[in-house]
Structure formats: C-alpha cells, structure tokens
Amino acid sequence: MRMLEENNFNSDLDDIINALDENIDRSELKKKLEEYLSYGVPLDQAKNTLIKQYGGTPIESQKKNLKDVQVNDRGLNLVCRVISINPKEIEVKGEKRKIFYGFLGDETATRTFTSWKDFEINKGDVIQITNAYSREWQKEPQINLSESTDITQLDPSTIESVVRSPATAKIIDLRGGMGNVEVTARLLSLEEKIVTARGKEKKIYSGLMGDTTGKIPFTSWKDFGLNENDVLTVTNGYIKSWRGAPQLVFDENSQVEKLDSDKLPPEKIGTPLISISVLIERGGGVDMMVEGTVLEVLKSSGFIYRCPDCNRVLRNGICGIHGEVLGVPDLRIKVILDDGTGSLTALFNRELTEQILGMTLDECKTTAEEAMNYAIIEHKIIECMAARPLQVTGDAFSDEFGLTFLVRNVHFVSLDIQKEANELLKELEE
Ligand SMILES: [Zn+2]
C-alpha cells in the first residue's frame, strides 16, 4: 500500500487524458483513480472505467481491427480467433525450421498469418497479440508473429463470431485446414460414388470445380442435386488436404445455392500462371501452370523398364516388390524446375518424352541398342532440356519429399526468356 500512496500516477493520468476529447481536471481524475484502486480494482480496468465515464474509447480497444491492418505495419496489437493453424517445415539458410501458418479472424476480417515461433496456440483459441508485424502476401496484408511477439490466451467468448472468412474465397486462395469458406464456382465434372462410412453405405458426389483463378477437386457428402455445368455458391464448406493439395468438402452443414449459369461462363474458368513458391505453399493443385528453368535432369530419366505387375521402375531388371520380371519398356523425364521463387520435381510421361525428343519409344530402344548404351537417351534429354525455360501445366502433389508436378502439357518458352533464364541459372550456380 505504501507504494500506492507514493505513486503520483502521472503516466497513467496522461493515458486517461489522452484518451479523452474534453479537458478534465487532473486532480479530480487522480482522486477518482485512487478511489477505484482502493476498492481493489486493477489499474488498467480502473483507467478504462474512467475513460468510459468521460465518454472516451477505452485503451484496450485501441487495438487494431484486422480490416485496418495495412501492409508493413509494425507493433501491431490485435485480438483474434485462430481459425486454422498448420505446422510447416521450411529451410532457412540450409537449416530445417518449423513454422506455423493459417488464418486469424476477428469481427472485421480474416487474414493469413505466419508464426516464426511455436506459441502453442490451437485452432479456436482467442488470443491477444502484442507486437506483431505485417507484410504483403498475395496482395493482402499478412500477420507475422515473431520472437518479439507476445501472445496471451483470452476467454474464447471474447470474440463471439468471426467475420465469414473472405466473403467469397477465390479457389487459388484456398488452403488445407480452412473452415467456413464460401466459394462460387462452376461444376466442371461430377461423379457419384458409394462409400462406406461408419458401417453404412453412403453416396458421395465428387469432381472438379473452377472459377477465374483456378480449379479444385471437391467432395459433397450430401445430395444437393448437383449437375455438370451448374454455377454454385457453396457456403460453409471446408478445405482438406489430399496428397498435400487443397480439396473442397461440403456436407449437411453447408448450403449450396445455384446461380445463373452465365454468372461464370466456361471460357472464364482459369488456369493462371502462378509462382512455384505459391504452389509449394498451397501444397499442390489440379490443372496448375508454372514456368521455370530446368536446373537439373535427374538420373532415371530416359529409357526405363517397368514392372508389368506394379509399374515400378526396374533396377537391373529387378522390381523391389516382385523380384526378377520381364520389364515393360517406357520413357520418362524427371527434372528440377526452378522459377527463382522455388523449385519442384516435374515428371514427363512417355508421350511427352517422345514429343520432346522427337523420337518414338521404338526409335529410342533401337538407338540405345545400337549404341549398346541406354544412357544415350538420358544424354539426349539433357541436350534438349538442361537450362531450358519451360511452361508446364498439370497436377501437383506434395509429400515429405517436396512437390511433384505431373506434366500434362509442356511449352518451351522463347529464346529471349531463355537468355534471362540462363542468367538466373548462372546466379543460382554462383
Ligand atoms: Zn513389381
């Protein structure tokens, strides 16, 4: 109590006066503050009670709303609900590091976040964030929690409801772990399937949906009377990861509204070019397009034999599962493709390999046998592809080994761009 008597509360009184528009008598304010404290009211609460009494905005709520966060804000104080959180292993200067990413929400907006430290926060937590910063991510501010950020757990009722995550999310922005998403898309393909769930047979509906930003596989656990080419708004769906890539799921908790079909005509359905880093961050996707330079043609490209039973590539005529078998000849190419933002493994099947080499499988076999060297095909591939800039479309999936891109279409990018790419390659090598 002695400390309290000696305290003149100067900075606290300043806080209160600064939060008020009108001029308040300082000594009167001091008297009231001391009175509250003598009743055992905590200092911060007493200050805010006084501010409210004089018609000011309490200091606590001078925290920023998510919708007001700009790119490159520093010293951000926020109160948010953790909508989703996922761990992710990244490499920083050759060292493996675990970070976390997901979505935060409050009554005004939802934003992506990255946490560079394990704050032991979970989905559904309401947290007070002190001293975070923001940076730009896909043209929107992203909240970053760093070593110097403080997190305090609050009562979950502090935020009753989070504004619906991005009013209408674009397909390219969907990520595994997101909940409560609203997507407007065109139904590009539809399949019915009977599955057994909890011992009961259930009909599910799956296929592909698309909007102007991309395509996404979906599964519906309820019969919404879907038809191919419907244009739909799905509300309260959620995003699961399948082989690393996002997939839209909706069920009896979701709503499906059919829109006019010309709201999203087929020619507006996009396959936009995205950076490899975004594809990696997304975990993959269906019908994606990336550009990059071939940094390396991987061994095991070229003329190969596959197991007739399991399709695995044989090593010296031996399948890892089935032992010595009569191999089926095949062609494939595996390369590391890099666009400066990240790299992936791109896989080309027999048809594409034939197209790239300008040789059929039979011609490759004859050439290799005449040279008595199967590696000759691999060398030809290196000649065709090393350091070449490519644009590829196809499906991408990820696992613990990284991102694999199954190429469906390949386009060799023009020579001017190749020059640029060669310079990039030089830079990378240095
Ligand atoms: Zn086999």
Side-chain angles (χ1 to χ4, degrees), residues 2 56 64 86 135 165 202 248 253 280 300 336 382 398:
R2 231 195 124 64
K64 236 180 193 164
N86 307 280
R135 60 174 191 133
S165 34
K202 198 167 165 50
L248 173 65
N253 297 319
I280 291 171
S300 74
I336 302 290
I382 293 171
S398 54

Side-chain angles (χ1 to χ4, degrees), residues 7-18 26 47:
N7 193 333
N8 55 19
F9 299 109
N10 271 334
S11 73
D12 299 307
L13 291 168
D14 287 344
D15 287 348
I16 300 171
I17 289 161
N18 289 339
R26 199 178 172 93
K47 281 161 75 176

Side-chain angles (χ1 to χ4, degrees), residues 307 309-310 312 319 321-322:
C307 172
D309 294 327
C310 67
R312 279 186 177 80
C319 166
I321 307 289
H322 298 100

Side-chain angles (χ1 to χ4, degrees), residues 51-67:
I51 290 168
K52 273 191 262 180
Q53 245 177 45
Y54 289 101
T57 309
I59 294 167
E60 247 177 350
S61 53
Q62 282 168 1
K63 63 160 178 92
K64 236 180 193 164
N65 285 327
L66 273 178
K67 100 174 145 37

Side-chain angles (χ1 to χ4, degrees), residues 52 119 155 224-225 242:
K52 273 191 262 180
F119 287 102
D155 187 303
F224 286 101
W242 187 76

